[in-house]
Amino acid sequence: MGVSDNTRGLILAMLSSLFIGTSFILKKKGLKRAAAAGSRAGFGGYAYLLEPLWWAGMITMIAGEVANFVAYIYAPAVLVTPLGALSIIISACLAHFMLKERLQKLGILGCVACIVGSIVIVIHAPQERTPNSVQEVWLLATQPAFMIYVATTVSMVLVLMLHFEPLYGQTNILVYLGICSLMGALTVVSIKAVGIAIKLTLEGVNQFGYAQTWFFLSVATIFVITQLNYLNKALDTFNAALVSPIYYVMFTTLTIIASVIMFKDWYGQNLSSITSELCGFITILTGTLILHMTREEEPGTTTGTITWYDGDQSKGLEEAHFITLRGSDYFN
């Protein structure tokens, strides 16, 4: 008895979560080392590129994304994307031991909720229906409903980048993660389109002669690079145990919406199955929120100024030698 496409997608999605959950921690440790050297990614620094741990995290994330990429070829986004909750559990547990970001007992309940929700979605997920060509995918991508979604998403990303990031990027976690998630949803559907092209090509029907294939590949490449940049800023500025669940909730929600609109994942399913999938998804969201609420806040950057003089009373203040220290590095 052969293994179904959905099963292949499920296994690959689980492996992807393992790699990605681990990568968050490795990259965070690399960013911490770079910050200790005086260059923070959140303030435009790129010293983390010299950190082996950051590159180990990047390689691990790439491995996870490759597994995720192949998973989207075999299974619908409604199945693959929510399973990213497993990466939240992995990153929260590793953060507890490796980053000393304490996981409280109630957080364990959040992990259990994520697992239960994932099981419900796996049981009721729709079967994958692969288009016969990239041209069919292009017709799905250019349907009016999806074009409206794309226009809305791009507009929101530009507003976040140009207006909200300069004002609130360092204080509101939703700015960086909003950009990542909005672009991530479009990245997923583009990657799925490229994956379909590769699968059909390997089956003997070359799809790389079509301009649409290269368009989807270009969009995916540009968006992935942009996502990584803003994800690095989020990880450097905020607690890793907060970044992971919030990013997951936003990214998963937007990806499911994009996939349902473009690929019509729920077409042909009965109301009971769709309702079960939604309940499973809500259970996962509840679990991630519990994890978010029970995590300790990362200590903020301490700022201040200390000024003193040499204490020679025979001198006037204008003659005294003042020493001024500014910046958080002197308060650690």
Side-chain angles (χ1 to χ4, degrees), residues 252-270:
T252 303
T253 301
L254 292 170
T255 298
I256 289 177
I257 292 172
S259 183
V260 167
I261 294 174
M262 179 172 170
F263 291 101
K264 306 182 186 303
D265 290 334
W266 285 339
Y267 181 80
Q269 278 202 296
N270 57 45

Side-chain angles (χ1 to χ4, degrees), residues 190-219:
S190 298
I191 286 176
K192 187 172 179 67
V194 175
I196 291 171
I198 294 175
K199 182 181 180 182
L200 292 173
T201 300
L202 293 176
E203 291 175 351
V205 184
N206 184 25
Q207 300 296 306
F208 285 88
Y210 298 109
Q212 292 91 333
T213 301
W214 296 103
F215 174 80
F216 286 126
L217 182 60
S218 300
V219 169

Side-chain angles (χ1 to χ4, degrees), residues 9 22 24 34 36 43 45 62 68 155 158 185 196 198 214 231 233 237 248 265 267 271 274 303 312:
T22 303
F24 269 107
F43 291 94
I62 291 173
N68 204 44
S155 299
L158 291 176
I196 291 171
I198 294 175
W214 296 103
L231 184 57
K233 290 184 178 183
T237 307
Y248 167 79
D265 290 334
Y267 181 80
L271 182 60
I274 295 175
T303 59
D312 189 344

